[in-house]
Amino acid sequence: VLDRQGVGLSETLDRIYQLFRPSLGRKKVLLQRVIEPGLRLKVDPFQFESLVVNLLKNALSAVGEKGFIQVCVKRVYLGNEKEKPWTCLMVKDNGKGITPLQMKRIFDPYFTTRNGGTGLGLAICRRVLDNHDGILKVKSKPGKGTTFSALFPSHLSMQ
């Protein structure tokens, strides 16, 4: 059962960033945050935080030492600008990327390419988006990095 509440995206991401700061510092990973001010969503806060944490964990694992991660939150239009905008949470890294063969399986439960990984993180992310009528997109180039975009429909946006 979803417990939808108004969630301030900037505040939530700041709190999660504080959890990751020690890991970012140890690995010398630069995290850039670009957050459109005032964005709020009516979502299950636990599920939303789980989505962000899993995407950041994967990005942190992919970049290795001295990597770069960008977290961007903004309104986007999927069709034309006459439609209401969606809210997009994008996590982009310059890590090892995902091969085409891996791409076919990344959302399968228990599929992992990481030592000690459970293979549940991206399956959880997809479930969170499904639960919120959203879309999870991924673009990746092996050796160049990966971008995950979690799109939340306009009916979940709050002023």
Side-chain angles (χ1 to χ4, degrees):
V1 178
L2 289 181
D3 178 22
R4 292 184 196 237
Q5 300 175 24
V7 172
L9 301 188
S10 183
E11 299 83 2
T12 301
L13 292 169
D14 283 347
R15 192 171 59 253
I16 293 169
Y17 170 71
Q18 294 305 322
L19 296 173
F20 277 86
R21 245 172 76 183
S23 298
L24 294 166
R26 269 194 308 277
K27 291 180 81 172
K28 299 195 177 39
V29 172
L30 177 64
L31 175 67
Q32 179 188 38
R33 295 175 291 171
V34 181
I35 301 169
E36 189 175 313
L39 289 183
R40 295 179 61 77
L41 286 173
K42 191 167 179 98
V43 293
D44 183 299
F46 177 77
Q47 288 193 18
F48 181 78
E49 288 180 22
S50 174
L51 167 79
V52 176
V53 166
N54 278 304
L55 291 177
L56 281 174
K57 272 181 161 175
N58 284 355
L60 189 58
S61 172
V63 297
E65 300 292 326
K66 298 184 181 178
F68 175 78
I69 299 170
Q70 182 185 54
V71 177
C72 181
V73 180
K74 61 184 178 181
R75 289 189 179 100
V76 297
Y77 294 90
L78 298 185
N80 60 52
E81 293 198 18
K82 291 179 183 169
E83 296 174 16
K84 289 186 177 180
W86 291 56
T87 300
C88 178
L89 163 72
M90 184 183 77
V91 178
K92 180 179 184 176
D93 68 62
N94 68 344
K96 60 187 174 190
I98 303 168
T99 68
L101 191 59
Q102 292 168 338
M103 189 69 79
K104 293 177 182 176
R105 301 207 43 216
I106 61 171
F107 296 109
D108 293 351
Y110 308 110
F111 174 76
T112 185
T113 60
R114 187 170 61 211
N115 285 342
T118 63
L120 293 174
L122 290 176
I124 289 168
C125 290
R126 170 152 287 163
R127 173 67 57 90
V128 170
L129 270 298
D130 288 348
N131 289 346
H132 291 87
D133 305 319
I135 301 167
L136 184 58
K137 295 182 176 184
V138 59
K139 288 183 184 174
S140 187
K141 289 189 178 171
K144 300 280 185 192
T146 302
T147 301
F148 281 93
S149 298
L151 296 148
F152 291 87
S154 56
H155 71 266
L156 295 177
S157 295
M158 302 175 65
Q159 296 299 332

